[in-house]
Amino acid sequence: MLKRIDHTKMGSSDLGWLKSKFHFSFADYYNPSNLNFGTLRVINDDLVEAGTGFDTHPHRDMEIVSYVVNGELTHGDSMGNKRTLSRGHVQYMSAGTGVLHSEHNFGEELLRFLQIWIIPNKKGCEPNYGDYLFDWNDRKNKWLHIVSSIEGNAPIKINQDSNLFALELDKDQEIDFKVGKDRQAYLVQIEGSSDINSIVLNMRDALEITEEDIKIKALETSHFLVVEMKK
């Protein structure tokens, strides 16, 4: 089963310095029928103006992944980590028993990044931070496995049976994505447009995928993120 999510009907927020699209209920956007998709609790598509950002704030018992689309994202936290990431780079934080962190755009251009929260498989994990500066070409016309469970083989590992994949697909190129039995996936059309099993997605749209293999054709050069998980 496939369900297209139109980005124009998602929750949204405009604070001036921050413009967001909420794939699931978040902040002032509350929809009781759209709280999560399996263990996927949050995907926020954030646009952050230069010289602004999220000041220090707390998190706990959540696996948090940030995927930079454009611009520079600077992370700082109470564990002593400070790091600036750019296009295609990924940072991960297990909030566990509690952590403070900040996210800022200290660059000169608009920052766009996807903030992804995944419910952990247990509470009270030890807080942890990591990041990975993926080579952009490693996702050109092929799936790049960026996040897996602790037992998985992706460079970034989280406390949940979930996988994240990234892809940039050239115009008119095609690629498959398989979803196994008792598994499901959530696909984000980050940039471009595509035809997926005769469903057209535009930039910022999404697709819920339940036990169905898909074939993607890029109608223009397209950029995707997929979160795959158990049901």
Side-chain angles (χ1 to χ4, degrees):
M1 180 177 176
L2 303 178
K3 180 182 177 182
R4 176 179 178 267
I5 311 298
D6 185 337
H7 76 277
T8 65
K9 298 179 181 178
M10 292 178 182
S12 62
S13 175
D14 185 350
L15 301 179
W17 66 272
L18 169 68
K19 296 180 176 62
S20 301
K21 286 289 185 181
F22 303 136
H23 287 248
F24 306 100
S25 293
F26 190 86
D28 291 335
Y29 166 61
Y30 176 72
N31 181 344
S33 64
N34 187 33
L35 297 176
N36 60 287
F37 182 72
T39 54
L40 178 59
R41 174 62 188 85
V42 166
I43 297 184
N44 292 348
D45 191 333
D46 290 334
L47 299 175
V48 184
E49 294 290 339
T52 69
F54 303 90
D55 292 333
T56 300
H57 58 281
H59 289 285
R60 67 178 301 133
D61 291 324
M62 194 65 68
E63 307 294 290
I64 301 172
V65 177
S66 297
Y67 183 94
V68 182
V69 180
N70 286 306
E72 295 181 358
L73 172 65
T74 298
H75 164 97
D77 63 47
S78 54
M79 296 177 282
N81 300 294
K82 188 169 184 180
R83 185 74 150 170
T84 298
L85 306 179
S86 56
R87 182 169 171 80
H89 297 168
V90 180
Q91 73 173 25
Y92 152 68
M93 188 175 70
S94 178
T97 54
V99 67
L100 300 173
H101 85 136
S102 62
E103 295 167 300
H104 287 96
N105 176 9
F106 292 133
E108 297 180 353
E109 300 177 357
L110 184 70
L111 164 66
R112 181 185 175 199
F113 76 105
L114 300 182
Q115 180 181 166
I116 302 153
W117 294 9
I118 295 173
I119 300 168
N121 53 22
K122 62 180 179 181
K123 293 185 176 181
C125 295
E126 182 179 354
N128 186 32
Y129 170 85
D131 54 55
Y132 205 91
L133 310 184
F134 292 99
D135 187 319
W136 185 263
N137 290 327
D138 289 342
R139 79 204 78 196
K140 287 283 290 181
N141 298 314
K142 59 185 177 182
W143 291 108
L144 173 62
H145 194 183
I146 59 177
V147 176
S148 71
S149 68
I150 300 297
E151 296 78 19
N153 56 12
I156 296 175
K157 303 181 189 303
I158 63 173
N159 297 299
Q160 185 51 271
D161 181 7
S162 297
N163 296 279
L164 274 69
F165 301 88
L167 166 72
E168 184 186 61
L169 194 62
D170 289 337
K171 181 180 179 180
D172 295 329
Q173 293 294 306
E174 297 184 359
I175 196 168
D176 295 333
F177 187 86
K178 298 184 181 299
V179 178
K181 181 176 173 58
D182 298 323
R183 309 288 293 184
Q184 59 187 15
Y186 192 86
L187 177 148
V188 180
Q189 178 92 36
I190 302 174
E191 296 171 298
S193 60
S194 66
D195 182 301
I196 302 178
N197 290 20
S198 299
I199 298 173
V200 173
L201 295 188
N202 298 308
M203 185 171 70
R204 291 192 171 89
D205 289 346
L207 190 68
E208 294 181 358
I209 309 164
T210 308
E211 283 189 11
E212 183 171 345
D213 297 342
I214 61 171
K215 180 179 288 293
I216 303 171
K217 180 178 181 179
L219 302 178
E220 56 185 318
T221 298
S222 290
H223 183 191
F224 303 91
L225 183 79
V226 171
V227 184
E228 187 271 349
M229 72 207 84
K230 66 179 180 180
K231 282 188 174 179

